Amino acid sequence: MHIVFAASECAPWAKTGGLADVVGSLPRALAKLGHKVSVFLPYYRQVAKAAPDAPVVIPSITVPFPTYNRFVRILDGGLAEGVQAYFVDSPELFDRESFYSTPSGDYPDNAERFGTLSRAVIEACKVLGVPDVFHVHDWQTAILAVFLRSTYYFDPVLRHVPAVLTIHNAGYQGWFPPRTMETLLLPWDMFTFDKLEQNDTVNFLKGGIVYADALTTVSRKYAEEIQTAEYGNGLEEAIRRRRGDLFGILNGVDYEEWDPAIDPHIAAHYSVEKLAGKKECRRDLLHAFGLEGISDDTAVIGVVSRFATQKGFDFIVDILDRLVQEDIVLVMLGTGEEHYERLLTEMAGRYSDKVRVQVNFDNVIAHKIEAGADMFLMPSRYEPGGLNQIYSLRYGTVPIVRATGGLDDTIDEEPNGGGNGFKFRGYNSSDLMAAIRRALDTFRNKEEWRQMMKRGMMQDFSWDKPAQEYVRVYERVIANRS
Ligand code: ADP
């Protein structure tokens, strides 16, 4: 089977979050199963820096707009582990400081940027090879499914090609003004509530939900949650209408990148059989954050996250005064909403002997936190899949999570001290504080703690099974369309 991925992020080239990890690793797992996989992503400034000499494979693709054409090149990003990467090169659209926005807001031409990406992928495939299935991701390429079933409807080589949409986060939908229909040459009769329209905007994600042949999301729990008003963000009705074609497939993780036995970014290697190296990683982490002389009895709590309300930072801010009364240190890495960056930095200043914050995107420090912390905190308000809690399990860093989405699917707390972590349900900070206190109680019992670490480290969340589940979804949509 030939599968074409179209996405706005792909590790290691372009990453802001879990989407990039999935688009970087699922194709490799599919290739291992014997499938042909190509991945298209924008040739952002950051990608161009990493691959400045990517050869041109298609020198010009015409993407029409109402009064002008855009001319886009396709570059060869190389074949690695069976996956062919292609970059969509349009300097006017992608040679920018960041992927989606500036500190003052989203780029105003995002509809045109990602509309062009999707059109270019479709056109490129007509030259490079028509796939058996398109796999698109989040609002940025959901619109590809819309093009396929509208302006490309009569294309003889594409009309039988299905599209699968994965929803990595229903909180981001790509809302654009109505005139976007004209800009992207989409027919006005699709601007209705049962198709692309939502609150008088063109909603890219909704378009994908309506027009993709199947929908997947990144955990079983989130597949249920997004059918409710609390988590569907206005799309619950559209999603419910497609529930027969909706599949929750828990994200796998790439253990070549996230395994303390081979991780090149950490101070010492360790595994479930030989745990000793974790101590060295802990020392190294504390040193990296300028925290010296911390006793082994003090719990090191780590956070790696986008600083966003989604991730529960309001809860963290709320409990911080209480948390620092406990025998803990807290090390946080993240970037995001300016308000949290400021607030957390200020709090780290106030409790400088216990709380440290690094505000940037730093893959090496992310690995060091996974390896060096004792506990990993993810009190998310909602969490479609969540990868960091799964990385934490492999690193023997016990997760403390809110019971939502993928966090609920992967972390178990059992009353007798069993399970692989700590979990709270309530949508409030006192439940979070109570879960941390339970973790601290268990942490004091060294043997019980070690058993919990080991249970997590032995779990397997590799891509093997989820990749097979995706193949079943592809087979189903291909069969339905032929
Ligand atoms: P989301 O995609 O919602 O941000 P996930 O848990 O699914 O959350 O994935 C987040 C990914 O991004 C993880 O691989 C995590 O390590 C990484 N990450 C997040 N923030 C940072 C940061 N500041 N520096 C380095 N890596 C980060």
Side-chain angles (χ1 to χ4, degrees), residues 304-377:
V304 178
S305 183
R306 282 185 291 116
F307 288 165
T309 306
Q310 181 208 330
K311 299 290 182 179
F313 278 93
D314 47 347
F315 297 151
I316 295 182
V317 167
D318 207 36
I319 64 162
L320 212 66
D321 293 331
R322 279 173 280 162
L323 186 60
V324 293
Q325 309 297 323
E326 306 284 339
D327 191 7
I328 59 104
V329 296
L330 177 63
V331 293
M332 294 188 277
L333 168 69
T335 56
E337 293 167 20
E338 215 182 323
H339 144 81
Y340 286 120
E341 291 184 358
R342 210 171 349 99
L343 209 62
L344 293 168
T345 308
E346 193 185 292
M347 290 183 126
R350 191 168 341 136
Y351 301 117
S352 61
D353 53 334
K354 291 206 154 188
V355 180
R356 292 293 157 100
V357 177
Q358 184 174 319
V359 181
N360 65 352
F361 199 91
D362 186 333
N363 189 40
V364 174
I365 294 291
H367 283 251
K368 282 183 190 291
I369 292 179
E370 287 292 0
D374 297 304
M375 305 170 185
F376 195 92
L377 198 56

Side-chain angles (χ1 to χ4, degrees), residues 20-257:
D21 288 356
V22 173
V23 176
S25 50
L26 170 59
R28 291 212 297 270
L30 293 165
K32 255 199 232 157
L33 295 175
H35 300 291
K36 180 177 169 186
V37 194
S38 317
V39 178
F40 286 81
L41 82 148
Y43 197 51
Y44 298 115
R45 182 176 298 174
Q46 199 176 315
V47 179
K49 263 192 207 145
D53 302 317
V56 177
V57 283
I58 305 180
S60 177
I61 279 179
T62 309
V63 180
F65 287 88
T67 56
Y68 56 92
N69 291 326
R70 286 198 179 276
F71 302 100
V72 175
R73 299 193 308 171
I74 304 295
L75 312 181
D76 184 345
L79 181 70
E81 295 182 60
V83 180
Q84 173 65 51
Y86 293 110
F87 304 136
V88 175
D89 182 24
S90 170
E92 321 84 87
L93 298 180
F94 299 124
D95 181 15
R96 299 187 187 176
E97 195 55 39
S98 29
F99 305 154
Y100 311 122
S101 57
T102 64
S104 49
D106 288 347
Y107 290 126
D109 58 350
N110 273 348
E112 184 160 351
R113 296 172 76 226
F114 293 101
T116 301
L117 171 68
S118 293
R119 294 278 312 254
V121 173
I122 293 175
E123 287 294 328
C125 288
K126 293 175 67 173
V127 178
L128 299 170
V130 174
D132 297 302
V133 58
F134 285 101
H135 191 163
V136 300
H137 300 265
D138 278 350
W139 67 262
Q140 291 91 341
T141 53
I143 199 70
L144 188 154
V146 177
F147 286 127
L148 267 188
R149 306 280 88 96
S150 56
T151 42
Y152 281 84
Y153 185 84
F154 290 107
D155 189 313
V157 300
L158 291 169
R159 62 179 307 174
H160 297 294
V161 182
V164 172
L165 165 67
T166 295
I167 302 170
H168 298 259
N169 192 331
Y172 300 86
Q173 301 177 358
W175 301 274
F176 301 105
R179 66 170 186 280
T180 307
M181 297 301 289
E182 267 167 25
T183 312
L184 297 183
L185 302 174
L186 289 168
W188 271 112
D189 63 9
M190 291 170 79
F191 191 64
T192 52
F193 185 71
D194 58 334
K195 299 188 174 104
L196 269 71
E197 190 271 337
Q198 185 93 7
N199 301 328
D200 205 34
T201 67
V202 177
N203 185 312
F204 274 26
L205 186 64
K206 185 173 185 182
I209 289 167
V210 172
Y211 287 101
D213 294 78
L215 313 176
T216 72
T217 186
V218 290
S219 67
R220 265 175 238 293
K221 185 69 185 268
Y222 194 60
E224 289 166 19
E225 288 174 338
I226 52 176
Q227 298 182 48
T228 67
E230 188 180 350
Y231 294 95
N233 287 294
L235 295 186
E236 56 277 6
E237 199 183 314
I239 295 168
R240 270 202 307 271
R241 244 182 272 139
R242 298 297 314 273
R243 72 176 151 233
D245 302 307
L246 169 65
F247 305 89
I249 303 177
L250 184 69
N251 279 337
V253 307
D254 180 359
Y255 287 127
E256 278 165 37
E257 167 80 10

